[in-house]
Amino acid sequence: MSLNSSKFLNEENAQGPKRNRECLESLESQTPSSFQDNPLQQLQLASHKVLEKAQKSGRSKCPRCNSSRMFYCYTCFVPVETVPTKEIPTVKLPLKIDIIKHPNETDGKSTAVHAKLLAPDDVTIYKYPCIPEYKEKRHEIALIFPGSNSVSVKDIAFHLQKYSKKAVCDNDDDCSREPFLKQAKIEPKEEENLSEFIASNRNESTGLKKIIFIDSTWNQTNKIITDERLQGLLQVELKTRKTCFWRHQKGKPDTYLSTIEAIYYFFVDYHQEVLKENYKGQYDNLLFFFSFMYSMIKNAKCCKGKE
């Protein structure tokens, strides 16, 4: 669930600003019709002019650690000097996000930093194994990760209600049920009650307050997903979205998204399927950096004759 843009950008910069200018000018000269194969072009995004200007200037210093970076510092989670913070959009999210980053995941490869830059008040990044204890708040949390027990976004409210009841039972001295962890799996034969439940609770709170994402390559996820602190959490899968990541991992389905894509698509689905509100681009700017890099790298490959 990661994306390697930093290495590509470093390679391009190593060949000098001339190529950067030529490719960027080529990108700017394209008409909308020539980007019909860009699935991100319909997003309602803030202007990319600040990033275009920074790309022409090349790498710049991080205002905190003085490291040389392109666009933003992926260790300090701040824009570089050539990208004024006031020109970067901010997104307000309806839920808090915890991102658990694999210790071997290279900082410069991760798109988790995009979420922290664009929704700083709602996003916290942890480096595994230093993660919170979620047991006491299990009925308010969902883990976004595919699996045999994963549910769809639209079913979150239904299943969290069951989790909430179990949490109450766990705190009841007279309750004779088994411990919560042994009951964490979702019973598969309750679909007949699902439509009725959703209809009757359409305008009520889901009880969900936080979502968790794992930031790593897909081959690295096993160590984190099997951690006992994540067991028993409601697991949610984004089954209908396809990745636009330009370095897709071989052997993995195209529904396996990069971290920032997963965050964005979760909130779009949550807004429509759970909150039951019309989506009008409220979270599109979560892909502010991602969409720019997508177009930039695609165009750079064209300049190099790869497409």
Side-chain angles (χ1 to χ4, degrees), residues 138-175:
R138 194 176 284 130
H139 57 289
E140 301 175 349
I141 300 173
L143 172 64
I144 313 303
F145 196 83
S148 59
N149 289 329
S150 297
V151 304
S152 64
V153 173
K154 68 179 181 179
D155 297 341
I156 287 177
F158 175 73
H159 291 291
L160 273 185
Q161 186 187 59
K162 296 189 302 178
Y163 276 45
S164 182
K165 289 180 178 178
K166 290 177 182 179
V168 171
C169 183
D170 285 345
N171 294 326
D172 188 347
D173 293 337
D174 295 328
C175 183

